[in-house]
């Protein structure tokens, strides 16, 4: 099938590449020339395990092309996915200006029947606006609008895309339904077909529910800390109940990334606009913000005065296996530390280039040991597997004091105590 993906970011690039791998002819479009030029030279602008090889393979087979020419992409394609960003406005609303711009452009160049699919995460009823704008700009050509929200996670995007728990298809015509079912058939995945509004809500509700799960376990972690209980055991005991499930019950410094923070906000806003309100989600946000402050307090409690101290930060990305630092809790913690006059040394296996652009006063190190050298305490902000393999003996020798504050419960508390560290984590007893 001939398909176009407009917006070649995390979602557009991964979806486009995977659709090509499934045998489709895919044109990925972006208005960022630098990005398209890089991709055409074989340079992949994001770090996502396995993606580079898959892009290379499908470009070679001419199944995947990159262009800035939206006109040609629209004309050649039957299904057109919109995968541009939907960032938050200052008031929390999703900013839909890129969606509007792309809808206008698709309408302008459409020459025969197409299905226009929202893949970006959008508030409910966005489809109606897309349809309206398209009709306003082209009343001659027949088209359908559909919603196919994306559920992939950064770091495991390819396997999430190719082995999804479910595919959600919001459609309002048999013709669009048939085409989209045909496109997804090779995945052999469970498919939920629904009206478009419901598909839009499935996405916001899923992300908000997962964020709520994280805030719930973080609130429980704080109770555990007060009484010397262990949140990991509590999560294990809760998660064994199939109705609850074990995933997304890892307590820590809170959720970050380009999606949960913005999507929770956008869902609150759309609920307010529809006169429904969603106080529960406001608490989810409050708990998430509090988690970062609590971790900062733990750093303070381990060193008392932070002014003039050097703090080593392990991990900047919002989670492991990505170079994405959007809304990464590490950035908030680094800024809080600098606000108190502390010096910060930091290392991340993949996110350093992005971090250097927005954190000018951090001493970026070549590896974790370099971070520990001369630091007064070490703070784990991202649970990169390589941190778990560090030699604790070496780390201890390099640190000014054997202090580790673990915002991701990466290390075994008993082992840390045995190795002579003053070790603090989240929701687990300090031994
Ligand atoms: P991104 O910022 O990485 O990529 C968006 C791309 O769209 C950019 O390359 C930008 O240049 C391009 N773009 C903007 N306006 C354009 C236009 N007029 N014409 C052509 N290209 C244009 O964003 P992302 O992380 O891929 O997210 C895209 C959407 O998917 C968002 O709504 C997001 O919430 C959703 N989503 C993201 C993820 C994720 O893991 N990142 C997962 C599921 C859903
Ligand atoms: C999330 C969702 O998991 C995807 O399904 C969704 O498609 C995507 O958002 C999106 O809409 O963009 P992602 O942001 O890539 O994916 O990463 P997650 O693995 O969900 O982690 C988000 C944040 O929650 C990270 O900061 C992570 O450290 C934190 N987290 C996650 C916890 O603190 N505890 C957990 O148990 C799980």
């Amino acid at each position: 099938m001939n398909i176009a993906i407009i917006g070649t970011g995390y979602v557009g690039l991964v979806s486009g590449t995977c659709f090509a791998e499934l045998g489709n002819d895919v044109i990925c479009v972006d208005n960022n020339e630098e990005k398209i030029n890089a991709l055409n030279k074989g340079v992949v602008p994001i770090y996502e395990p396995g993606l580079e090889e898959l892009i290379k393979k499908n470009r070679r087979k001419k199944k995947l092309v990159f262009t800035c020419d939206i006109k040609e992409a629209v004309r050649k394609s039957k299904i057109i996915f919109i995968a541009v960003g939907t960032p938050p406005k200052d008031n929390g609303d999703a900013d839909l200006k890129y969606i509007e711009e792309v809808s206008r452009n698709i309408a302008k160049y459409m020459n025969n029947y197409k299905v226009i699919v929202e893949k970006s995460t959008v508030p409910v009823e966005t489809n109606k606006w897309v349809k309206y704008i398209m009709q306003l700009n082209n009343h001659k050509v027949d088209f359908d609008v559909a919603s196919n929200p994306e559920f992939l996670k950064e770091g495991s995007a390819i396997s999430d895309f190719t082995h999804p728990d479910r595919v959600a298809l919001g459609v309002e015509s048999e013709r669009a339904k048939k085409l989209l079912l045909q496109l997804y058939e090779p995945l052999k995945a469970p498919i939920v077909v629904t009206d478009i509004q419901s598909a839009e809500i499935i996405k916001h509700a899923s992300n908000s529910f997962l964020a709520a799960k994280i805030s719930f376990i973080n609130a429980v972690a704080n109770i555990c800390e007060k009484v010397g209980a262990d949140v990991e055991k509590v999560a294990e005991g809760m998660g064994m109940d199939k109705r609850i499930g074990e995933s997304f019950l890892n307590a820590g410094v809170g959720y970050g990334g380009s999606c949960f923070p913005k999507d929770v906000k956008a869902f609150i806003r759309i609920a307010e606009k529809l006169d429904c309100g969603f106080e529960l989600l406001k608490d989810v946000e409050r708990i998430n913000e509090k988690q970062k402050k609590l971790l900062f307090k733990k750093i303070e409690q381990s060193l008392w005065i932070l002014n003039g101290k050097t703090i080593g930060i392990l991990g900047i990305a919002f989670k492991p296996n990505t170079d994405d630092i959007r809304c990464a809790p590490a950035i908030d913690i680094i800024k809080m530390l600098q606000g108190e006059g502390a010096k910060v040394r930091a290392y991340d296996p993949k996110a350093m280039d992005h971090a250097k652009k927005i954190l000018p006063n951090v001493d970026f190190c070549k590896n974790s040991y370099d971070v520990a050298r001369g630091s007064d305490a070490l703070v784990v902000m991202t649970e990169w597997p390589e941190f778990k393999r560090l030699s604790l003996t070496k780390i201890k020798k390099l640190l000014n004091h054997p202090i580790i504050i673990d915002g991701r419960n990466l290390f075994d508390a008993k082992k840390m105590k045995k190795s002579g560290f003053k070790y603090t984590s989240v929701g687990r007893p300090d031994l």
Side-chain angles (χ1 to χ4, degrees):
M1 200 152 351
N2 289 309
I3 64 178
I5 317 261
I6 321 289
T8 310
Y10 276 90
V11 165
L13 188 55
V14 172
S15 320
T17 307
C18 292
F19 279 135
E21 178 70 9
L22 293 175
N24 299 288
D25 291 291
V26 180
I27 306 178
C28 282
V29 185
D30 208 286
N31 61 358
N32 180 335
E33 260 184 61
E34 213 181 307
K35 194 179 254 190
I36 292 300
N37 289 341
L39 282 161
N40 278 326
K41 284 185 195 133
V43 179
V44 180
I46 53 169
Y47 172 72
E48 184 60 43
L51 184 60
E52 200 171 329
E53 299 75 36
L54 220 52
I55 291 177
K56 210 183 267 173
K57 178 177 160 196
N58 284 285
R59 278 188 70 219
R60 217 175 25 236
K61 286 165 72 181
K62 305 219 175 333
K63 288 294 204 186
L64 180 64
V65 297
F66 299 107
T67 180
C68 291
D69 186 353
I70 188 168
K71 181 177 174 184
E72 199 200 347
V74 167
R75 299 216 155 167
K76 281 190 174 162
S77 306
K78 178 63 76 196
I79 303 180
I80 301 163
F81 287 91
I82 304 179
V84 295
T86 47
K89 289 187 188 172
D90 287 344
N91 66 2
D93 279 347
D95 190 344
L96 301 174
K97 65 174 182 243
Y98 304 117
I99 301 270
E100 197 263 1
E101 188 187 338
V102 169
S103 310
R104 247 186 303 126
N105 282 330
I106 297 172
K108 200 157 88 190
Y109 300 125
M110 216 164 46
N111 51 344
N112 52 31
Y113 174 80
K114 318 270 177 202
V115 186
I116 318 305
V117 190
E118 301 168 341
K119 197 163 233 346
S120 302
T121 302
V122 291
V124 63
E125 298 203 310
T126 299
N127 72 89
K128 293 192 176 165
W129 284 105
V130 170
K131 199 169 175 179
Y132 172 72
I133 287 298
M134 296 211 33
Q135 277 163 345
L136 212 57
N137 288 279
N138 187 340
H139 40 80
K140 291 193 195 121
V141 179
D142 187 22
F143 69 93
D144 274 310
V145 170
S147 164
N148 168 222
E150 183 48 57
F151 301 103
L152 63 79
K153 301 184 290 303
E154 292 179 22
S156 55
I158 291 169
S159 72
D160 288 345
F161 189 92
T162 49
H163 300 90
D165 287 346
R166 80 306 204 183
V167 171
L169 298 180
V171 286
E172 56 182 10
S173 84
E174 277 304 314
R175 200 173 177 187
K177 178 177 159 187
K178 205 172 149 206
L179 278 167
L180 288 169
L181 284 175
Q182 195 185 329
L183 179 67
Y184 275 104
E185 200 278 331
L187 290 186
K188 310 279 177 229
I191 297 183
V192 49
V193 180
T194 173
D195 60 279
I196 307 185
Q197 271 81 265
S198 302
E200 289 170 330
I201 294 180
I202 286 173
K203 177 63 194 178
H204 262 164
S206 299
N207 271 8
S208 299
F209 191 85
L210 290 169
K213 231 178 150 183
I214 298 169
S215 279
F216 188 94
I217 200 65
N218 281 333
V220 171
N222 297 330
I223 298 173
C224 290
E225 277 180 21
K226 299 274 181 199
V227 297
D230 183 342
V231 73
E232 290 194 334
K233 284 286 159 202
V234 175
E236 189 185 339
M238 287 170 63
M240 285 163 88
D241 184 327
K242 288 192 194 75
R243 294 168 303 172
I244 297 173
E246 62 183 14
S247 59
F248 279 69
L249 284 180
N250 296 318
V253 64
Y255 60 77
S258 66
C259 292
F260 284 177
K262 97 170 157 63
D263 291 344
V264 170
K265 268 196 175 54
F267 206 30
I268 292 172
R269 287 288 297 169
I270 195 77
E272 273 167 358
K273 279 188 194 164
L274 296 169
D275 231 359
C276 299
F278 214 149
E279 291 306 307
L280 173 68
L281 286 184
K282 290 187 184 166
D283 271 332
V284 167
E285 282 190 317
R286 271 194 285 271
I287 294 167
N288 200 53
E289 285 312 302
K290 189 172 152 200
Q291 264 336 84
K292 292 178 247 186
K293 293 189 184 118
L294 287 175
L295 192 88
F296 177 73
K297 218 165 148 190
K298 286 176 184 167
I299 306 172
E300 266 188 333
Q301 276 165 355
S302 67
L303 286 167
W304 190 20
I305 304 295
L306 293 175
N307 189 12
K309 301 270 166 54
T310 300
I311 311 297
I313 301 285
L314 291 187
I316 304 167
F318 80 100
K319 62 180 234 179
N321 295 318
T322 179
D323 60 353
D324 199 340
I325 58 166
R326 290 179 282 182
C327 292
I331 294 170
D332 293 315
I333 295 290
I334 289 172
K335 288 188 175 160
M336 285 183 218
L337 289 166
Q338 290 177 329
E340 283 299 311
K343 292 187 203 108
V344 176
R345 294 168 71 72
Y347 168 73
D348 186 284
K350 293 287 174 199
M352 302 270 270
D353 288 346
H354 292 315
K356 280 175 190 167
K357 287 182 201 145
I358 62 155
L359 295 167
N361 297 319
V362 170
D363 190 1
F364 289 100
C365 301
K366 58 181 188 299
N367 58 40
S368 305
Y369 297 116
D370 198 18
V371 173
R373 186 173 292 113
S375 285
D376 293 298
L378 205 55
V379 183
V380 179
M381 291 302 302
T382 316
E383 66 278 33
W384 281 96
E386 71 168 65
F387 297 158
K388 203 159 178 141
R389 296 191 294 267
L390 290 170
S391 155
L392 293 173
T393 321
K394 198 165 162 189
I395 291 280
K396 199 165 154 221
K397 268 192 207 140
L398 292 166
L399 281 169
N400 289 344
H401 314 288
I403 298 173
I404 294 188
I405 298 104
D406 185 351
R408 295 292 183 181
N409 290 351
L410 179 72
F411 294 113
D412 181 283
K414 278 194 191 125
K415 205 164 145 197
M416 296 308 281
K417 163 105 177 159
K418 222 167 135 193
S419 307
F421 282 97
K422 180 175 158 26
Y423 175 76
T424 313
S425 53
V426 180
R428 302 189 300 180
D430 294 340
L431 300 169

